[in-house]
Amino acid sequence: MARRTPTIPEATVARLPIYRRALVELDESSAINVSSERLAEMSGVNAAKVRKDLSYLGSYGTRGVGYDVDYLLFQVSRALGLNNDWPVAIVGSGNLGQALANYRGFTQRGFPVAALIDVDDKKVGATVHGIEVHHVDRLEDLVAELGIAIGIIATPAGAAQAVADRLVEAGIQSVLNFAPVVISVPDGVPLRQVDLATELQILSFYQQRNAASDR
Amino acid sequence: MARRTPTIPEATVARLPIYRRALVELDESSAINVSSERLAEMSGVNAAKVRKDLSYLGSYGTRGVGYDVDYLLFQVSRALGLNNDWPVAIVGSGNLGQALANYRGFTQRGFPVAALIDVDDKKVGATVHGIEVHHVDRLEDLVAELGIAIGIIATPAGAAQAVADRLVEAGIQSVLNFAPVVISVPDGVPLRQVDLATELQILSFYQQRNAASDR
DNA sequence: TAGATTGTTAATCGATTAACAATC
DNA sequence: TAGATTGTTAATCGATTAACAATC
């Protein structure tokens, strides 16, 4: 099988959304071209890295000129698989789940929130920011009916693994976990884990180290 | 100046909170000892990495036995600077800001939410989950009065950089940015940037790649 | 042609991991 | 002593970056 692109390094994939955001901004400001220098500055990385990263997608720049904003935005979006929408379901309708449901960034960027799912009968049937809350018993049906591609876990830690198992079993394509617990999914199912407290603890470490070196 | 520990690699620092979480769980289940093998399993990494990471903190295990859960939890917590609380202020009282304010995980883990700050007069004076909303004009006062250590930015993208500048100017120690824009802070100010849409886009990439290889 | 900027090379740096001696 | 498991070494792998030839 001929591959169109060589495999793109993980570190590069993680930066593509950052570049894309910068490109959207440039596009909105009607910029035609952008140099790796400028793109690097907007993305908080160095220019060599930008060029190397973009070179994995193909050869889309023009020497002496830079990159065509429109065209590069298209190519980056395509590489990220953002040509079509990926409906998401949020499992767990607590505070975090509701906030995520209401986060315009998701729908805006091609990830419509198709359903909120909860285990609490009292929440089921309600509508949060225009999204209906369904009972977790219907999880499998919803995935099929609504064509859910991504499951977002916003449950308490104790429920997260079981939910992940059910999502995968139901045929979900990838999982984003916000519960403060490490979960596992079968090989080949993309998984990202984001823990808000972890981020604060990392800051705490560096804060403390700075304080120590100031003394 | 004699350093107690050699510098701990960034990748290791980022994993310490994960190990800590596993240790808390073990502690709650009254486990006395834990092997690197078990800790690795709970943390979703491999055992050699756990041992290497922990070795940067010191030599706290016992060959043939494993690590004392209590003692290791203490050492990891200390390394992370979690002996004392770090009050945080959340700037931006929109959906995300309010959800973060209500996230029990923060206070529970030593990061009490001391203030919510917003630019909208209509929100100021209200109380969200027991936390008063202050006007952004008072940002500098609040940082000083409440001893805010960490500023959490949950504003729209357009306001984020200016808020970061003011937080730093006011003497904040580190910044956690949730706004979907790259911001910069002076060297030496720890900064973490979390973008929810970025996470979804990374999943989209791998999802698409899986779909391509299935074909 | 002169100036600008990409795409790629190669050196360097940091992170991961298997293996095993040390030691409980 | 036998079995278990750490702490550390060294090999390997992947990511970063400076430098520059290619080329607009």
Coordinates of all heavy atoms in Angstrom, one line a residue, chain A residues 11-81:
Chain A
A11 N 4.9 14.3 18.1 CA 5.1 15.7 18.6 C 4.6 16.7 17.6 O 4.1 17.7 17.9 CB 6.5 15.9 18.9
T12 N 4.8 16.3 16.3 CA 4.3 17.2 15.2 C 2.8 17.2 15.2 O 2.2 18.3 15.1 CB 4.8 16.7 13.9 OG1 6.3 16.8 13.9 CG2 4.3 17.5 12.7
V13 N 2.1 16.1 15.3 CA 0.7 16.0 15.3 C 0.1 16.9 16.4 O -0.8 17.7 16.2 CB 0.2 14.6 15.5 CG1 -1.3 14.5 15.7 CG2 0.6 13.7 14.3
A14 N 0.7 16.9 17.6 CA 0.2 17.6 18.7 C 0.3 19.2 18.4 O -0.4 19.9 19.0 CB 1.0 17.3 20.0
R15 N 1.2 19.5 17.5 CA 1.4 21.0 17.2 C 0.5 21.4 16.1 O 0.3 22.6 15.9 CB 2.9 21.3 16.9 CG 3.7 21.4 18.2 CD 5.1 21.9 17.9 NE 5.9 21.0 17.1 CZ 6.7 20.0 17.6 NH1 6.9 19.9 18.9 NH2 7.3 19.2 16.8
L16 N 0.1 20.5 15.2 CA -0.7 21.0 14.1 C -1.9 21.8 14.4 O -2.2 22.8 13.8 CB -1.1 19.7 13.2 CG 0.0 19.0 12.5 CD1 -0.5 17.8 11.7 CD2 0.8 19.9 11.6
P17 N -2.7 21.4 15.5 CA -3.8 22.3 15.8 C -3.4 23.7 16.2 O -4.1 24.7 16.0 CB -4.4 21.6 17.0 CG -4.0 20.1 16.9 CD -2.6 20.2 16.3
I18 N -2.2 23.9 16.8 CA -1.7 25.2 17.2 C -1.4 26.0 15.9 O -1.8 27.2 15.8 CB -0.4 25.1 18.0 CG1 -0.5 24.0 19.1 CG2 0.0 26.4 18.5 CD1 -1.2 24.4 20.3
Y19 N -0.8 25.4 15.0 CA -0.5 26.1 13.7 C -1.8 26.4 13.0 O -2.0 27.5 12.5 CB 0.3 25.2 12.7 CG 1.7 24.8 13.3 CD1 2.2 23.6 12.9 CD2 2.4 25.6 14.1 CE1 3.5 23.2 13.4 CE2 3.6 25.2 14.6 CZ 4.2 24.0 14.3 OH 5.4 23.6 14.8
R20 N -2.7 25.5 13.1 CA -4.0 25.7 12.4 C -4.7 27.0 13.0 O -5.3 27.8 12.3 CB -4.9 24.5 12.6 CG -6.2 24.6 11.8 CD -7.0 23.3 11.8 NE -8.2 23.5 11.0 CZ -9.3 24.2 11.4 NH1 -9.3 24.6 12.7 NH2 -10.3 24.3 10.7
R21 N -4.7 27.1 14.3 CA -5.3 28.2 14.9 C -4.7 29.5 14.5 O -5.4 30.5 14.2 CB -5.1 28.1 16.5 CG -6.2 28.6 17.3 CD -6.3 28.0 18.6 NE -5.0 28.2 19.3 CZ -4.8 27.6 20.6 NH1 -5.7 26.9 21.2 NH2 -3.6 27.9 21.2
A22 N -3.3 29.5 14.4 CA -2.6 30.7 13.9 C -3.1 31.0 12.5 O -3.3 32.2 12.1 CB -1.1 30.5 14.0
L23 N -3.2 30.0 11.7 CA -3.6 30.2 10.3 C -5.0 30.7 10.1 O -5.3 31.6 9.3 CB -3.4 28.9 9.5 CG -2.0 28.4 9.3 CD1 -1.9 27.0 8.8 CD2 -1.3 29.3 8.2
V24 N -5.9 30.3 11.0 CA -7.3 30.8 11.0 C -7.2 32.3 11.3 O -7.9 33.1 10.6 CB -8.1 30.0 12.0 CG1 -9.5 30.8 12.2 CG2 -8.4 28.6 11.5
E25 N -6.4 32.6 12.3 CA -6.3 34.0 12.7 C -5.8 34.9 11.5 O -6.3 36.0 11.2 CB -5.4 34.1 13.9 CG -5.6 35.5 14.6 CD -4.6 35.6 15.8 OE1 -4.4 34.6 16.5 OE2 -3.9 36.6 15.9
L26 N -4.7 34.4 10.9 CA -4.1 35.1 9.7 C -5.1 35.2 8.6 O -5.3 36.2 8.0 CB -2.9 34.3 9.2 CG -1.7 34.4 10.1 CD1 -0.7 33.3 9.8 CD2 -1.0 35.7 10.0
D27 N -5.9 34.1 8.4 CA -6.9 34.1 7.3 C -8.0 35.2 7.6 O -8.3 36.0 6.7 CB -7.6 32.7 7.3 CG -8.3 32.5 6.0 OD1 -7.7 32.9 4.9 OD2 -9.4 31.9 6.0
E28 N -8.4 35.3 8.9 CA -9.4 36.3 9.2 C -8.8 37.7 9.1 O -9.6 38.6 8.9 CB -9.8 36.0 10.7 CG -10.8 34.8 10.8 CD -11.0 34.4 12.2 OE1 -10.4 34.9 13.1 OE2 -11.9 33.4 12.4
S29 N -7.6 37.9 9.2 CA -7.0 39.2 9.1 C -6.6 39.4 7.6 O -5.8 40.3 7.3 CB -5.8 39.4 10.0 OG -4.7 38.6 9.6
S30 N -7.0 38.6 6.7 CA -6.8 38.7 5.3 C -5.4 38.6 4.9 O -5.0 39.1 3.8 CB -7.4 40.0 4.8 OG -8.8 40.1 5.1
A31 N -4.5 38.0 5.6 CA -3.1 37.8 5.2 C -3.1 36.8 4.1 O -3.8 35.8 4.1 CB -2.3 37.3 6.4
I32 N -2.2 37.0 3.1 CA -2.1 36.1 2.0 C -1.0 35.1 2.2 O -1.2 33.9 2.1 CB -1.7 36.9 0.7 CG1 -2.8 38.0 0.4 CG2 -1.6 36.0 -0.5 CD1 -4.2 37.5 0.2
N33 N 0.2 35.6 2.7 CA 1.3 34.7 2.9 C 1.8 34.8 4.4 O 1.5 35.8 5.0 CB 2.5 35.1 2.0 CG 2.2 34.8 0.6 OD1 2.0 33.7 0.2 ND2 2.2 35.8 -0.3
V34 N 2.5 33.8 4.8 CA 3.1 33.8 6.1 C 4.4 33.1 6.1 O 4.5 32.0 5.4 CB 2.1 33.2 7.2 CG1 1.8 31.7 6.9 CG2 2.6 33.4 8.6
S35 N 5.4 33.6 6.8 CA 6.7 32.9 6.8 C 6.7 32.0 8.0 O 5.9 32.1 8.9 CB 7.8 34.0 7.0 OG 7.6 34.6 8.2
S36 N 7.6 31.0 8.0 CA 7.8 30.1 9.1 C 8.1 30.9 10.4 O 7.7 30.5 11.5 CB 8.8 29.1 8.8 OG 10.1 29.7 8.6
E37 N 8.9 32.0 10.2 CA 9.2 32.9 11.3 C 8.0 33.4 12.0 O 7.9 33.3 13.2 CB 10.1 34.0 10.7 CG 10.8 34.9 11.7 CD 12.0 34.2 12.3 OE1 12.8 33.7 11.4 OE2 12.2 34.1 13.5
R38 N 7.1 34.0 11.2 CA 5.9 34.6 11.8 C 5.0 33.5 12.4 O 4.4 33.7 13.5 CB 5.1 35.3 10.7 CG 3.8 35.9 11.1 CD 4.0 37.3 11.7 NE 2.7 37.8 12.2 CZ 2.3 37.8 13.5 NH1 3.1 37.4 14.4 NH2 1.1 38.3 13.8
L39 N 4.8 32.4 11.7 CA 4.0 31.3 12.2 C 4.5 30.8 13.5 O 3.8 30.5 14.4 CB 3.9 30.2 11.1 CG 2.8 29.2 11.1 CD1 1.4 29.9 11.3 CD2 2.8 28.5 9.8
A40 N 5.9 30.7 13.6 CA 6.5 30.2 14.8 C 6.2 31.2 16.0 O 5.9 30.7 17.1 CB 8.0 30.1 14.6
E41 N 6.3 32.5 15.7 CA 6.1 33.5 16.7 C 4.7 33.4 17.2 O 4.5 33.3 18.5 CB 6.4 34.8 16.1 CG 6.4 36.0 17.1 CD 6.2 37.3 16.4 OE1 6.4 37.4 15.2 OE2 5.8 38.3 17.1
M42 N 3.7 33.2 16.3 CA 2.3 33.1 16.8 C 2.0 31.8 17.5 O 1.1 31.7 18.3 CB 1.4 33.2 15.5 CG 1.5 34.5 14.8 SD 0.4 34.5 13.3 CE -1.2 34.6 14.1
S43 N 2.9 30.8 17.3 CA 2.6 29.5 17.9 C 3.5 29.2 19.1 O 3.3 28.2 19.7 CB 2.8 28.4 16.8 OG 2.1 28.7 15.7
G44 N 4.4 30.1 19.4 CA 5.3 29.9 20.5 C 6.3 28.8 20.4 O 6.7 28.2 21.3
V45 N 6.7 28.6 19.1 CA 7.8 27.6 18.9 C 8.9 28.3 18.0 O 8.8 29.4 17.7 CB 7.3 26.3 18.2 CG1 6.2 25.7 19.0 CG2 6.7 26.7 16.8
N46 N 9.9 27.5 17.6 CA 10.9 28.1 16.8 C 10.7 27.8 15.3 O 10.1 26.8 15.0 CB 12.3 27.9 17.4 CG 13.1 26.7 16.7 OD1 12.7 26.2 15.7 ND2 14.1 26.3 17.4
A47 N 11.3 28.6 14.5 CA 10.9 28.6 13.0 C 11.4 27.3 12.4 O 10.7 26.7 11.5 CB 11.5 29.8 12.3
A48 N 12.5 26.7 12.8 CA 13.0 25.5 12.2 C 12.0 24.4 12.5 O 11.8 23.5 11.6 CB 14.4 25.1 12.8
K49 N 11.4 24.4 13.7 CA 10.5 23.4 14.0 C 9.2 23.5 13.1 O 8.7 22.5 12.7 CB 10.1 23.5 15.5 CG 9.4 22.3 16.1 CD 9.0 22.6 17.5 CE 10.1 22.2 18.5 NZ 9.7 22.5 19.9
V50 N 8.8 24.7 12.9 CA 7.6 24.9 12.0 C 7.9 24.3 10.7 O 7.1 23.6 10.1 CB 7.3 26.4 11.9 CG1 6.3 26.6 10.8 CG2 6.7 26.9 13.2
R51 N 9.0 24.6 10.1 CA 9.3 24.1 8.7 C 9.4 22.6 8.7 O 8.9 22.0 7.8 CB 10.6 24.8 8.3 CG 10.5 26.3 8.0 CD 11.6 26.8 7.1 NE 12.9 26.7 7.7 CZ 13.5 27.5 8.6 NH1 12.8 28.6 8.9 NH2 14.7 27.3 9.0
K52 N 10.1 22.1 9.7 CA 10.2 20.6 9.8 C 8.9 20.0 9.9 O 8.5 19.0 9.2 CB 11.1 20.2 11.0 CG 11.4 18.8 11.1 CD 12.9 18.5 11.0 CE 13.2 17.6 9.9 NZ 13.5 16.2 10.2
D53 N 8.0 20.5 10.8 CA 6.7 19.9 11.0 C 5.9 20.0 9.7 O 5.3 19.0 9.3 CB 6.0 20.7 12.1 CG 6.4 20.4 13.5 OD1 7.0 19.3 13.7 OD2 6.2 21.2 14.4
L54 N 5.9 21.2 9.1 CA 5.1 21.3 7.9 C 5.6 20.4 6.7 O 4.8 20.0 5.9 CB 5.0 22.8 7.5 CG 4.3 23.7 8.4 CD1 4.3 25.1 7.9 CD2 2.9 23.2 8.7
S55 N 6.9 20.2 6.8 CA 7.5 19.4 5.7 C 7.0 17.9 5.7 O 7.0 17.2 4.7 CB 9.0 19.4 5.8 OG 9.5 18.5 6.8
Y56 N 6.5 17.5 6.9 CA 5.9 16.1 6.9 C 4.6 16.1 6.2 O 4.2 15.0 5.8 CB 5.6 15.7 8.4 CG 6.9 15.4 9.2 CD1 7.3 16.3 10.2 CD2 7.7 14.3 8.9 CE1 8.5 16.0 10.9 CE2 8.9 14.1 9.6 CZ 9.3 14.9 10.6 OH 10.4 14.7 11.3
L57 N 3.9 17.2 6.0 CA 2.6 17.2 5.3 C 2.8 17.2 3.8 O 2.0 16.9 3.0 CB 1.8 18.4 5.7 CG 1.5 18.6 7.2 CD1 0.6 19.8 7.4 CD2 1.0 17.4 7.9
G58 N 4.0 17.7 3.4 CA 4.2 17.9 2.0 C 5.1 19.2 1.8 O 5.5 19.8 2.8
S59 N 5.2 19.6 0.6 CA 6.1 20.7 0.3 C 5.2 21.9 -0.2 O 5.0 22.1 -1.4 CB 7.1 20.3 -0.8 OG 8.1 21.3 -0.9
Y60 N 4.6 22.6 0.8 CA 3.6 23.6 0.5 C 4.0 25.0 0.5 O 3.2 25.9 0.4 CB 2.4 23.3 1.4 CG 1.8 21.9 1.2 CD1 1.4 21.2 2.3 CD2 1.5 21.4 0.0 CE1 0.9 19.9 2.2 CE2 1.0 20.2 -0.2 CZ 0.6 19.4 0.9 OH 0.1 18.2 0.8
G61 N 5.3 25.2 0.8 CA 5.8 26.6 0.8 C 6.4 27.0 -0.5 O 6.6 26.2 -1.4
T62 N 6.8 28.3 -0.5 CA 7.5 28.8 -1.7 C 8.7 29.6 -1.2 O 8.6 30.5 -0.4 CB 6.6 29.8 -2.5 OG1 5.4 29.2 -2.8 CG2 7.3 30.3 -3.7
R63 N 9.9 29.1 -1.6 CA 11.1 29.7 -1.1 C 11.2 31.2 -1.5 O 10.7 31.6 -2.6 CB 12.3 29.0 -1.8 CG 12.6 27.6 -1.2 CD 13.4 26.8 -2.1 NE 13.2 25.4 -2.0 CZ 14.0 24.5 -1.4 NH1 15.2 24.9 -1.0 NH2 13.7 23.2 -1.3
G64 N 11.6 31.9 -0.6 CA 11.7 33.4 -0.8 C 10.4 34.1 -0.5 O 10.4 35.3 -0.4
V65 N 9.3 33.3 -0.4 CA 8.0 34.0 -0.2 C 7.3 33.6 1.1 O 6.9 34.4 1.9 CB 7.0 33.6 -1.4 CG1 5.6 34.1 -1.2 CG2 7.6 34.0 -2.7
G66 N 7.3 32.3 1.4 CA 6.6 31.8 2.6 C 5.5 30.8 2.2 O 5.5 30.2 1.1
Y67 N 4.5 30.7 3.0 CA 3.4 29.8 2.8 C 2.1 30.6 2.4 O 1.9 31.6 3.0 CB 3.1 28.9 4.0 CG 4.3 28.1 4.5 CD1 5.2 28.6 5.3 CD2 4.4 26.8 4.0 CE1 6.3 27.8 5.7 CE2 5.5 26.0 4.4 CZ 6.5 26.6 5.3 OH 7.6 25.8 5.7
D68 N 1.3 30.1 1.5 CA 0.0 30.6 1.2 C -0.9 30.3 2.4 O -1.1 29.1 2.6 CB -0.5 30.1 -0.1 CG -1.8 30.7 -0.5 OD1 -2.8 30.3 0.1 OD2 -1.8 31.5 -1.4
V69 N -1.4 31.3 3.0 CA -2.2 31.0 4.2 C -3.4 30.1 4.0 O -3.6 29.1 4.6 CB -2.7 32.4 4.8 CG1 -3.7 32.1 6.0 CG2 -1.6 33.2 5.4
D70 N -4.2 30.5 3.0 CA -5.4 29.7 2.6 C -5.1 28.2 2.3 O -5.7 27.3 2.8 CB -6.0 30.3 1.3 CG -7.3 30.9 1.5 OD1 -7.6 31.1 2.7 OD2 -8.0 31.1 0.6
Y71 N -4.1 28.1 1.5 CA -3.7 26.7 1.0 C -3.1 25.9 2.2 O -3.5 24.7 2.4 CB -2.7 26.8 -0.1 CG -2.3 25.5 -0.7 CD1 -3.4 24.7 -1.2 CD2 -1.0 25.1 -0.9 CE1 -3.0 23.5 -1.8 CE2 -0.7 23.9 -1.4 CZ -1.7 23.1 -1.9 OH -1.4 21.9 -2.5
L72 N -2.3 26.5 3.0 CA -1.7 25.8 4.1 C -2.8 25.4 5.2 O -2.8 24.3 5.7 CB -0.6 26.6 4.8 CG 0.2 25.9 5.8 CD1 0.9 24.6 5.3 CD2 1.3 26.8 6.5
L73 N -3.7 26.4 5.4 CA -4.8 26.1 6.3 C -5.6 24.9 5.8 O -5.9 24.0 6.6 CB -5.7 27.3 6.4 CG -7.0 27.2 7.2 CD1 -6.7 26.6 8.6 CD2 -7.7 28.5 7.3
F74 N -5.8 24.8 4.5 CA -6.5 23.7 3.9 C -5.8 22.4 4.1 O -6.3 21.4 4.6 CB -6.8 23.9 2.4 CG -7.3 22.7 1.7 CD1 -8.6 22.3 1.8 CD2 -6.4 21.9 0.9 CE1 -9.1 21.2 1.2 CE2 -6.9 20.8 0.3 CZ -8.2 20.4 0.4
Q75 N -4.5 22.4 3.9 CA -3.7 21.2 4.0 C -3.5 20.7 5.5 O -3.6 19.5 5.7 CB -2.3 21.5 3.4 CG -2.2 21.6 1.9 CD -2.7 20.4 1.2 OE1 -2.8 19.3 1.8 NE2 -2.9 20.5 -0.1
V76 N -3.4 21.7 6.4 CA -3.3 21.3 7.8 C -4.6 20.7 8.2 O -4.6 19.7 8.9 CB -2.9 22.5 8.7 CG1 -3.0 22.2 10.1 CG2 -1.4 23.0 8.3
S77 N -5.7 21.3 7.8 CA -7.0 20.9 8.2 C -7.3 19.4 7.7 O -7.8 18.6 8.4 CB -8.1 21.8 7.7 OG -8.0 23.1 8.2
R78 N -6.8 19.3 6.5 CA -7.0 17.9 5.8 C -6.2 16.9 6.6 O -6.6 15.8 6.9 CB -6.6 18.0 4.4 CG -7.1 16.8 3.6 CD -6.8 17.0 2.1 NE -5.3 17.2 1.9 CZ -4.6 16.3 1.3 NH1 -5.1 15.3 0.7 NH2 -3.3 16.6 1.1
A79 N -4.9 17.3 6.9 CA -4.1 16.3 7.6 C -4.7 15.9 8.9 O -4.6 14.8 9.4 CB -2.7 16.9 7.8
L80 N -5.4 16.9 9.6 CA -6.0 16.6 10.9 C -7.3 15.9 10.7 O -7.9 15.5 11.7 CB -6.2 17.9 11.6 CG -4.9 18.5 12.3 CD1 -5.2 19.9 12.8 CD2 -4.4 17.6 13.4
G81 N -7.8 15.7 9.5 CA -9.1 15.0 9.3 C -10.3 15.8 9.7 O -11.3 15.4 10.1

